[in-house]
Amino acid sequence: MHTHHFHLRKLPSAIALASLLGTSAAAAQNDSTSSAVRLDTVEVTAESAGQFGYSDIEETPSVGKMDVPISEQPFSMSVIDEAFIEDSGAKSIQDALLYTPGVYAGNYGFDTRVDSAKVRGLEAGRYLDGLRQVYGSYNTVRSNVYALESVEVLRGPSSMLYGQADLGGIINGVSKLPQEESSGEVWAQYGSHDRKQLAFDVTGAVDEDATFLYRLVGLARDSDTQVDHVEDDGYLLAPSFTWRPSDDTSITLLINRQENKGQVSAQFLPQVGTLEPGSQGFIGSERFVGEPGWDRYDREKTETTLFFDQQLNDNWALAATARYTDSSTETREHWIDIPSVPDADGEVTRTIFMSDSETKIFNLDARLEGAFELGETRHQLIAGIDRQDARWSQDNYSSVSGGGGRFDVYDPEYGNLQLDSLAPSDRPDNEIEQVGVYLGDHIELGPVVVSAGLRHDWAENRTLALSGSDTVSDQEETTGRLGLMYRFDNGVSPYISYSEAFSMNLGNDGTANPSPLKPTTGDQEEVGVKYVSPDQSLAVSVAYFDITQQNRISDGATPGGVEQVGAVVDGWELQLNKRWEQFETQLAYTNLNATNDSTGVRLPFVAEEQASWWNRLYIGSQWRVGAGVRYVGDNVGSGGAPVVPSSTLYDAMVGYTMGEWDLSLDVKNITDEEYVSWCRYDGGDCGYGERRNITANIRYQF
């Protein structure tokens, strides 16, 4: 996402108050700095090798909405740049997050639907260029990672910046936009499961004065997957155009058109046969339980985004980002009835499901940002207003347990398609409207940093009844952030911070006298230390956090209604980046406890311990190699059972550059471990993680 600043032309006596309140906003953004320190790039002697170093400590992460480097923010944040995405062979945002501290990426296993990830044990909002992107489920296309220049993670509550938001934090994609310097590449890829992909990315100035800039990103893919009869085909086309009528004004239009066709890779297989052997042993990760030719998950979207930046004077600027999204999906799917245990013949019954979904979203964020001095203090002030308006529908809906007929999970025979059991109907639409105003300030007084912010939201979540009265949740909420950091001359910067969040819930409690669900709220306390060596070759960040959540919707089924419970998550994270000339290593570790605050039972689908280590080495002027290891601790299903065992996975890459040509090979899960990544509850369904995946790449860069 791109940081746009909008600044108040006049702040009379209110400047003092703005600075105080702003302190909490800056703190909020700084909250996302501690874990992803980025080191300055270093040139390798060979031109072909270019630059290396995944991190730049001076980079300003746009997810923080302030012009403040990561190293000076008293909050936890990570930035995964394009170089790491390419080197690690990431095919999705989910892949890009696998080496990020505090993030449990792929918690629902191999998935063609969404980029699943939990941050600090809790859900995290999905954003693109600072605007919320995902509402509801099964109703849009996941962003293609090739259209992004980086992925940012802001860990912990962030409502002060983004309004109603998940307590885990924000996962934000940053779109590729036009650049003044002409460049481009053509990329061909072939890999496992007959994956064939062709992409291009070109940018530059249209005229000699660089008043007009352009960029065109495109991709087409034809691919099978590790699951039989499940394809992952699609295309991306993302043209963008920038007009700079003056040195102080920039207007950019970005259009993103995506279409994916295929099937749902998650097969929701029974626990007996995956986590534990069934009557005929184990069910393979390649098993498809649907009907070839009928099952499908086809989705498309068109996003139109407008970026506006106006420099008012040397200290103040105005900026805004607005986006309209129209997306739709068609889902036809079978899964095994749960709970279910294959009989002696390996047979189970199936659910047959169908749905057509659509989402229309308009989002806007506008802000004024300024840099000024007030006495002995220096300020980065931000004042903003944002709006989100989203409506999603689900029509032609039918889900019939047992309606899909009997199925042999060990030796499948397809062709038992029973459409007569379907009785499709429309479901109520859901709608969110929210307006928020926020004010923040990042204040420096010598080595002391105070970052603070305050926000007020007016939000309405509505379920539009097909008949009768709508269900409406109307809420006002004030949230804030506050952080304090001290920067020692030796590069050590300890900090403390506090942040809040809220998220409204649709629907009612399902009781005889139904009441609207209460908003989920929570707060986080964080203590951390950041260190950057004088030569910026070493960066270390350590953070301890304690999150308390109220009124989260229980993960388990509650007879007679929907239960809202609390949760407590505490733990610590470590990230280390070190560079020795042509070698770079990065280490990440996360250890947390995530429990229901009343029962003490572990929260489901969360690995409480994770560790990762990635390395890259340039050999001579043309070769580069990389290798990584990921340890993912055990997790549990809803209610604390079953326990899904831990896994250790290995990845590698090798690359060779020759002039404008770059050849590379990347491998994920080198040992081809077949492992269960999650189970819903004891006796329920489970899912497999991603098996070995190898891709060969040829890039022509100009």
Side-chain angles (χ1 to χ4, degrees):
M1 120 184 194
H2 301 268
T3 305
H4 304 286
H5 314 289
F6 54 103
H7 310 67
L8 305 168
R9 298 192 175 200
K10 295 183 180 179
L11 293 173
S13 58
I15 278 193
L17 176 61
S19 324
L20 178 60
L21 298 178
T23 298
S24 54
Q29 309 166 5
N30 296 345
D31 192 34
S32 52
T33 293
S34 87
S35 83
V37 179
R38 311 193 64 174
L39 306 174
D40 281 346
T41 56
V42 172
E43 287 195 12
V44 177
T45 53
E47 178 182 348
S48 60
Q51 294 182 326
F52 85 109
Y54 298 122
S55 301
D56 183 356
I57 191 62
E58 297 305 320
E59 179 171 342
T60 300
S62 54
V63 72
K65 291 190 179 181
M66 300 188 83
D67 190 15
V68 179
I70 284 180
S71 61
E72 300 182 9
Q73 299 197 40
F75 300 93
S76 292
M77 183 183 297
S78 293
V79 179
I80 302 94
D81 66 12
E82 190 175 359
F84 183 83
I85 292 171
E86 179 179 320
D87 281 352
S88 63
K91 300 171 184 61
S92 63
I93 292 176
Q94 177 174 306
D95 280 356
L97 296 171
L98 291 174
Y99 285 86
T100 306
V103 179
Y104 181 24
N107 54 307
Y108 293 115
F110 174 67
D111 205 330
T112 55
R113 301 167 300 168
V114 296
D115 295 301
S116 62
K118 291 202 174 190
V119 179
R120 291 185 169 174
L122 301 170
E123 295 297 334
R126 303 304 192 271
Y127 282 68
L128 177 66
D129 297 315
L131 301 177
R132 183 174 170 182
Q133 189 181 36
V134 177
Y135 298 81
S137 60
Y138 277 83
N139 58 13
T140 190
V141 188
R142 69 203 301 184
S143 290
N144 193 304
V145 73
Y146 189 66
L148 307 178
E149 65 179 33
S150 64
V151 178
E152 302 174 334
V153 181
L154 182 134
R155 284 187 284 279
S158 54
S159 283
M160 181 263 133
L161 292 174
Y162 293 97
Q164 57 172 314
D166 295 300
L167 267 76
I170 299 292
I171 297 173
N172 178 62
V174 181
S175 295
K176 293 178 177 176
L177 293 181
Q179 303 296 312
E180 186 172 329
E181 183 177 349
S182 295
S183 65
E185 77 165 13
V186 178
W187 170 33
Q189 181 182 78
Y190 182 78
S192 300
H193 314 298
D194 200 24
R195 180 185 180 92
K196 299 178 289 290
Q197 184 168 277
L198 185 65
F200 60 86
D201 176 8
V202 292
T203 187
V206 175
D207 60 321
E208 187 173 323
D209 297 330
T211 302
F212 300 98
L213 311 177
Y214 75 93
R215 191 162 192 167
L216 182 60
V217 180
L219 179 148
R221 179 180 63 253
D222 184 325
S223 180
D224 297 330
T225 70
Q226 69 183 45
V227 181
D228 293 343
H229 307 293
V230 173
E231 300 169 325
D232 186 21
D233 304 336
Y235 74 83
L236 155 74
L237 189 62
S240 55
F241 184 77
T242 296
W243 175 39
R244 302 190 295 195
S246 71
D247 292 340
D248 296 328
T249 306
S250 175
I251 302 171
T252 298
L253 176 67
L254 167 66
I255 299 173
N256 185 302
R257 170 66 183 177
Q258 283 187 236
E259 184 173 326
N260 283 15
K261 291 184 178 296
Q263 293 75 29
V264 174
S265 61
Q267 295 298 294
F268 310 111
L269 300 171
Q271 178 179 327
V272 176
T274 53
L275 191 64
E276 57 194 76
S279 59
Q280 299 181 36
F282 287 96
I283 304 166
S285 57
E286 77 284 354
R287 181 65 63 241
F288 177 67
V289 303
E291 289 296 329
W294 187 82
D295 281 52
R296 67 181 185 272
Y297 181 45
D298 296 340
R299 53 271 193 213
E300 62 179 4
K301 73 173 177 181
T302 302
E303 290 179 325
T304 303
T305 308
L306 186 68
F307 304 91
F308 173 76
D309 291 90
Q310 177 67 52
Q311 193 70 36
L312 302 177
N313 55 40
D314 290 342
N315 297 326
W316 296 92
L318 177 69
T321 307
R323 182 170 64 236
Y324 179 76
T325 303
D326 190 342
S327 63
S328 61
T329 64
E330 291 185 3
T331 308
R332 305 292 183 268
E333 187 179 4
H334 288 78
W335 62 77
I336 293 171
D337 291 337
I338 302 297
S340 181
V341 176
D343 63 20
D345 296 325
E347 289 194 344
V348 294
T349 57
R350 295 183 299 182
T351 292
I352 185 170
F353 173 85
M354 66 183 298
S355 174
D356 298 334
S357 300
E358 185 175 16
T359 308
K360 296 182 183 298
I361 306 166
F362 174 74
N363 284 346
L364 168 69
D365 180 43
R367 57 196 175 277
L368 183 70
E369 186 172 311
F372 61 90
E373 295 184 1
L374 190 62
E376 297 296 320
T377 61
R378 291 177 297 168
H379 298 255
Q380 289 280 346
L381 184 69
I382 185 172
I385 182 170
D386 57 25
R387 175 182 177 85
Q388 54 178 312
D389 190 342
R391 181 167 179 167
W392 61 100
S393 61
Q394 196 173 30
D395 301 328
N396 202 24
Y397 175 92
S398 182
S399 180
V400 185
S401 178
R406 296 191 65 79
F407 182 82
D408 187 341
V409 292
Y410 294 101
D411 186 18
E413 292 185 9
Y414 301 107
N416 185 22
L417 182 58
Q418 301 184 11
L419 300 181
D420 292 344
S421 62
L422 292 169
S425 62
D426 295 344
R427 307 190 87 191
D429 291 0
N430 292 303
E431 187 174 48
I432 283 180
E433 294 182 4
Q434 176 184 306
V435 175
V437 293
Y438 55 92
L439 182 64
D441 197 2
H442 180 88
I443 306 170
E444 298 182 20
L445 177 59
V448 178
V449 172
V450 180
S451 188
L454 202 61
R455 176 189 181 100
H456 190 78
D457 283 288
W458 296 265
E460 181 181 272
N461 287 17
R462 181 185 296 269
T463 300
L464 306 175
L466 297 175
S467 61
S469 301
D470 296 343
T471 300
V472 180
S473 178
D474 204 341
Q475 188 81 15
E476 288 188 44
E477 194 77 28
T478 299
T479 53
R481 286 179 123 183
L482 177 64
L484 175 66
M485 172 183 281
Y486 190 91
R487 300 170 295 180
F488 288 98
D489 292 340
N490 61 4
V492 175
S493 300
Y495 70 90
I496 59 173
S497 63
Y498 172 81
S499 56
E500 299 173 325
F502 83 103
S503 178
M504 296 174 65
N505 295 305
L506 291 169
N508 58 63
D509 58 12
T511 60
N513 298 304
S515 300
L517 293 174
K518 299 176 183 178
T520 298
T521 60
D523 57 67
Q524 173 184 266
E525 299 171 356
E526 181 172 330
V527 179
V529 178
K530 302 179 185 180
Y531 171 75
V532 181
S533 64
D535 62 357
Q536 295 192 342
S537 68
L538 171 64
V540 182
S541 61
V542 182
Y544 170 81
F545 55 89
D546 190 334
I547 303 175
T548 302
Q549 186 181 41
Q550 298 88 30
N551 294 317
R552 70 190 300 268
I553 296 177
S554 174
D555 298 289
T558 302
V562 177
E563 182 183 16
Q564 291 191 269
V565 298
V568 175
V569 182
D570 66 86
W572 64 281
E573 301 157 348
L574 164 71
Q575 178 160 327
L576 181 149
N577 286 63
K578 175 61 182 175
R579 189 182 60 241
W580 292 278
E581 297 181 348
Q582 298 190 12
F583 175 71
E584 180 176 8
T585 185
Q586 63 179 51
L587 177 70
Y589 179 77
T590 304
N591 189 297
L592 58 84
N593 299 296
T595 60
N596 181 305
D597 67 352
S598 59
T599 65
V601 174
R602 282 181 61 178
L603 298 185
F605 325 130
V606 176
E608 295 191 329
E609 184 176 29
Q610 293 186 89
S612 64
W613 185 25
W614 176 264
N615 305 273
R616 179 176 60 174
L617 172 67
Y618 279 92
I619 303 173
S621 62
Q622 295 175 303
W623 288 93
R624 67 187 185 278
V625 294
V629 57
R630 295 176 279 129
Y631 170 78
V632 181
D634 63 26
N635 70 87
V636 300
S638 181
V643 175
V644 178
S646 62
S647 58
T648 301
L649 306 170
Y650 304 90
D651 309 318
M653 62 82 63
V654 60
Y656 179 80
T657 302
M658 181 176 57
E660 290 79 20
W661 294 91
D662 185 85
L663 312 177
S664 65
L665 182 77
D666 57 77
V667 187
K668 284 196 175 302
N669 191 358
I670 294 174
T671 60
D672 195 23
E673 181 175 352
E674 187 176 45
Y675 64 100
V676 173
S677 60
W678 72 283
C679 292
R680 194 181 306 271
Y681 54 82
D682 200 14
D685 53 326
C686 300
Y688 284 105
E690 185 173 13
R691 300 284 298 274
R692 180 168 55 215
N693 198 295
I694 305 172
T695 53
N697 308 276
I698 301 176
R699 285 181 167 86
Y700 179 75
Q701 300 168 326
F702 53 90

